[in-house]
Amino acid sequence: MAQKQMKRTANKRLAEHKKSKKQVEKFMKEGQMDTARIHAENAIRQYSEFTQYLQLAARIDAVAQRVKTAITMGQMNKNMHKVVSGMSKVLNAMDVEKLTQVMEKFETDNETLDVRTAYMDEAIASTVSGATPTENVTELMTRIGDEIGLDVSGQLEDGPVPTTAPVKNTNTAGAVKEV
């Protein structure tokens, strides 16, 4: 349930990101570079929040899978205890047929445990891996300017951004290419 809520919030942030990019385009066309820079900063922050919410949803899923694994392990432990108790009774009676049946059951349960453990390990590894960093404000504004046919290279400065919120610059190529 929390995972679904995180995904809904992530989708809202993505919609806000797209809206902010349209605002950047609008203000760049009007020549208001400071206002465009503010909206570009917002767009990058919103995309960063989008990816963070998706990562949080994946982590919640990983925790849920770990809890399931713990429950399964507890059930398997109870089953193994029953099997061991059965083996003790069979060994006392030394009935070879019963001993064989109990050993087969034990091997089956042990193989099932191994398969489930391997599956859970793979599921956890795949949901927790990977992060998508965002690009810097100037690169976003330049790309939008190129898309709308506006040369903004001389109008952009690498100086301080005229807002109070800092922008995290991780500058990995190809991070925000979808919109």
Side-chain angles (χ1 to χ4, degrees):
M1 185 149 132
Q3 180 186 11
K4 288 181 182 179
Q5 183 179 3
M6 291 296 149
K7 286 184 179 179
R8 278 192 296 263
T9 305
N11 289 335
K12 287 180 185 177
R13 292 297 180 265
L14 184 59
E16 290 171 1
H17 165 74
K18 291 177 181 179
K19 183 178 176 183
S20 291
K21 281 187 70 177
K22 288 181 182 179
Q23 290 293 322
V24 170
E25 183 177 324
K26 173 187 168 194
F27 287 111
M28 287 176 70
K29 285 180 180 178
E30 294 174 2
Q32 298 178 16
M33 290 303 156
D34 287 343
T35 306
R37 182 177 289 276
I38 291 169
H39 285 285
E41 179 182 309
N42 287 340
I44 289 173
R45 179 184 45 80
Q46 290 158 346
Y47 190 80
S48 176
E49 289 174 1
F50 162 72
T51 58
Q52 289 170 358
Y53 277 114
L54 287 181
Q55 289 172 353
L56 185 57
R59 288 182 182 139
I60 289 171
D61 184 48
V63 169
Q65 294 299 329
R66 287 181 182 164
V67 169
K68 273 186 177 177
T69 300
I71 290 170
T72 303
M73 293 288 213
Q75 291 170 346
M76 190 61 70
N77 189 18
K78 289 177 186 177
N79 289 342
M80 288 173 61
H81 180 67
K82 290 177 185 177
V83 169
V84 170
S85 298
M87 275 193 336
S88 296
K89 291 176 185 175
V90 169
L91 285 174
N92 289 337
M94 285 306 286
D95 186 356
V96 177
E97 285 184 30
K98 285 186 181 179
L99 180 60
T100 303
Q101 290 173 350
V102 170
M103 289 303 294
E104 287 175 358
K105 174 75 172 138
F106 179 79
E107 288 177 12
T108 303
D109 287 349
N110 199 22
E111 288 174 4
T112 303
L113 176 64
D114 289 342
V115 168
R116 287 182 180 176
T117 301
Y119 177 75
M120 294 308 301
D121 288 344
E122 288 178 25
I124 289 170
S126 68
T127 56
V128 177
S129 66
T132 307
T134 59
E135 296 174 297
N136 64 29
V137 174
T138 304
E139 184 177 341
L140 176 63
M141 291 177 67
T142 302
R143 191 174 67 242
I144 290 175
D146 291 343
E147 288 174 5
I148 62 174
L150 184 62
D151 183 23
V152 294
S153 59
Q155 299 174 7
L156 297 177
E157 39 185 81
D158 292 332
V161 178
T163 63
T164 58
V167 175
K168 186 186 278 186
N169 180 8
T170 54
N171 199 11
T172 299
V176 186
K177 298 286 184 191
E178 86 297 336
V179 264

